[in-house]
Amino acid sequence: MLSCAYASSIPPTSPLFHRRPCIAPYNNITTLKPILHAPTKPTLSLSHFHFFLQLYSRAGRMREARQLFDKMPERTLVSWTILMSGYARYGPASETMRLFQDMVCQHSGARSFRPDPFIFSVVLRVCASLTDIYSGRELHCQIIKSSFMIDSFVQNALVSMYASCGFIKKSVRVFDRILQPDLVSWSAMISGYVQNGQEEEGMSLFCEMGQAGILPDESAFSIVVGAAANLGCLGFGLQLHGFIVKMGYYTSSLFLQNSLMDFYATCWGMDSSRRVFDRMLEKDLISWNIIVAGYVQNLCNYEALLVFQALMVDIFECDEFTLASILQAVTGLGVLDRGREIHGYVIRAGFDTDPYVMSSLLDMYIKCIDNERGCHYDASIALKLFNQWQEFDEFMIAGLLKSCALQSDFETGKMLHTHVVKYELKSDPFITSSLIDMYAKCGITEAARWVFWGIRDPGTVPWSAIIAGHCRNGWFEEALWLFRTMQFDCIEANEFTYTSIILACIALGDLKRGKELHCHILRAGYGVAISVVNTLIKLYSSLGCIQQALKLCYLIPESEISLGAMIQACASIEDYKMVLKLFHRIQRSSGQLDHNSAYIVLDSCANPVLLNAGVQAQAYLMKRGLVTDPNMSNSLIKMYSGSGKFAYANDAFNWMLDKNSASWTLVISANVDHGHPSEALNLFMQMCCKNKFPDSSTFSSVLKACAQLGLVNEAFWFFISMNKDYGIEPSSEHYSHMVDVLGRAGRFEDAKAFIKEDLPFKPEAHIWRTLLSSCRIQGNMRLAKDAAEKLLELEPSDCAANLLLEQILLTVGKWDDALKLKNRAKFMRPSYSWIEIRNHIHEFASNQILTEEVSAMLEEMARKMRELGYVSDKNHWLHDAEEEHKGIGFQHTEIIALAFGLVWLPQGTPIRISKSVRMCGDCHSVCKFMSTFIGRDMFVKDSCRFHHFRDGRCSCRDAW
């Protein structure tokens, strides 16, 4: 049996999960059996029958009470009243209604059997419990005919009956006609308001009760404390607490102490709730349940586990509510081992037949599947739990379908689908939506559509599931069509529907439809829903509308804003100023970053001008314990490599205890980008020796390393090994790297043949761009001209290609063609460079007016270079990336940014610059020469690669 494994996992001597043996309380009714069931029964009087009948009823032995009632030779109004009161208290309540109808029908003409106020109050309480308004109204009519409306029992029962049935106005009408309402009347009316969600009216009535001179009792206080908790009225609750202490109920009423604990846990956090708990002289299981549930509700799951451990040491037992709460805490922490221990206790304590507990246990196993400590074994446990149950409901099946969806377990999902069909559960919206979600996450969208179109009248939940399923599988246009169909069918969308549709607009890059959807969301009232607003922020930030995204941030709490996604979007469009502003906003925010947002923050700082922000981000995340994850170390490698701190990236890799494939790939890429191709290939060999499987990105870096080293044969060996040994289909990027390998080795005929014969697709822009770069490095202008023309056919607005082609045309003497190309290039996007000074990003654009300090520094730099004998390479004059040549290329944005850094950065501080286009050859030569005398390292990251200038050399080895 499955349960035995968990029962045996805990030592029997452990005090944590011991349970006291259940001892049945002494029951005096057992002494009656010799009398009532004797062969010769003594003659019992009517009073004796009433005594025994009342004894059975008060003990809850309703079957024996009914048997005794049926054997009575004569019944009176008292007999009927006793039995009806017993059924009203212990159930089934419907039996009370039948008895009342039988009594009225059998003795309709007898005056002695006419219902009295007590009977009416009992039956009205039953109508309230059954929410049977029709029977309640009939009784109200009979009460009026019987002239019992002035009786306080009846009046109070009518107030409760109408309130319980949801007719609060009728309840108020009855209450208002009570001439002198007593404490029970006030309490019933206050309770009615709270039951119907009108807590403010209930608290106001409580104040009126005090003004009327009626002092509340424990029941009235508990009702109003619950109302204050529901509304989050901390001030009113504190006043109630003082009132309770003043009246002397605080130390004497365990019931009120429990209510106050629940109030503080809901409104003021767990400190005050725990203070009440610790000062209680006596605690029952309800007290422990409230404190455990309070910790779980406030996401203090570890503290909940500690309290649960103290509970098991103190009273050695718990109930199904304790177990449900603690299983939720285990789920929140992802501590599956502790969950297994609790599973063992559930079995030993006999709770394995309780559907409430077993549903919580199943939910715990399902939600732990996504955790690293979860595994398929745990998923099979969830399925075995389901198979062991004789009875199951729609929530259990929906939970198991969710488990299948998380694992993409199609076979188990099909088996559960047969259960759904067999037990005719297809009409349940939870199950149908779970089936749709399961098939969609398994990648079988057609099956999800088949389930959806089989629903007779699909509601919001199935519509949301099918739309989300289409988005998940990349069917974005179909998802938008489904949303329109949903609107035509007059089905109201919810926040899950809207988030899926917004994601479809993001994937399609359709800002217009996204704005239309935003208007629809505002009209539907979801304009402040946190998930919807965050998705809209992602829409606007991803599509370049950063200001609109920032405006939306004011609609939701600071701690709920997905600032990480906005940082990523700003970094992708090179808005580094906004990246810094957003990160500083995160630092000021009281909210906590999750791991995914932390990855985004670090990845977005992978730029030279954001190095300081990246270091601050690392410190911020370290303080919050978010850097222990291996994926976070990978982000650190990427951040330091992208910002020019290659040594720090290597250190981050070397300090990792558990290096996964992504870690090796990132450090190999870092070595290639920073001009260490030999080390990159050595690392690749080490990676393979440690049985870490490379991926597509790994081979891209390896092929780039081969291109830098001129290793043609080795590159082809790696290229063939990709598919042959690792099953990785070469992408267009890999073919591009092979063209670069051949071009950098000077084998242009082989490169042309490779493009013409070996490419499995039509040459794309990046293929011609790679060939163009290789031709420029090797000086093959004829082939460079052909490559540039091919590139411009595919991407006419490519700035670098236009400038290179202009240089080539000038070189071959085609001045007119070069002039036309130059005039067209003037209308293209200007180039920019950025530099960070004291946590502020400074941007420099082409043709920018310079300040006096920068102009003076440029003149000083030019003078110094001329004194040291610098002469510009005329081959670079024709390749002017930004404007006409005016001697030494000091008019380009990266040189202006360099001069700005020399003015404002302390002596010896490295200068880090980011540039939007490829660095021209003249500026490259200037930076190399300047690195010999300015006394600092210079880092420039352009659109092609990294440049680290030091002692007259560049890390790119003049090949970029």
Side-chain angles (χ1 to χ4, degrees), residues 87-129:
Y87 277 122
R89 177 176 294 184
Y90 296 105
S94 57
E95 199 63 31
T96 304
M97 301 298 300
R98 293 194 189 95
L99 282 170
F100 179 77
Q101 293 168 1
D102 291 344
M103 184 188 77
V104 173
C105 293
Q106 292 176 19
H107 307 283
S108 58
R111 188 178 183 83
S112 60
F113 284 90
R114 183 176 298 173
D116 60 8
F118 182 76
I119 290 181
F120 276 124
S121 65
V122 169
V123 182
L124 283 170
R125 286 205 311 270
V126 171
C127 292
S129 65

Side-chain angles (χ1 to χ4, degrees), residues 473-526:
N473 289 285
W475 296 24
F476 302 111
E477 289 289 354
E478 291 80 357
L480 291 171
W481 177 84
L482 283 168
F483 179 69
R484 288 193 296 270
T485 308
M486 180 182 179
Q487 291 179 294
F488 292 147
D489 290 348
C490 300
I491 304 297
E492 292 186 3
N494 59 18
E495 56 185 295
F496 303 104
T497 322
Y498 287 125
T499 52
S500 298
I501 291 300
I502 297 169
L503 291 174
C505 294
I506 294 173
L508 295 172
D510 195 337
L511 181 60
K512 180 181 178 182
R513 276 197 280 194
K515 289 182 176 179
E516 292 174 356
L517 187 60
H518 190 178
C519 296
H520 191 281
I521 289 168
L522 293 175
R523 290 195 298 270
Y526 286 97

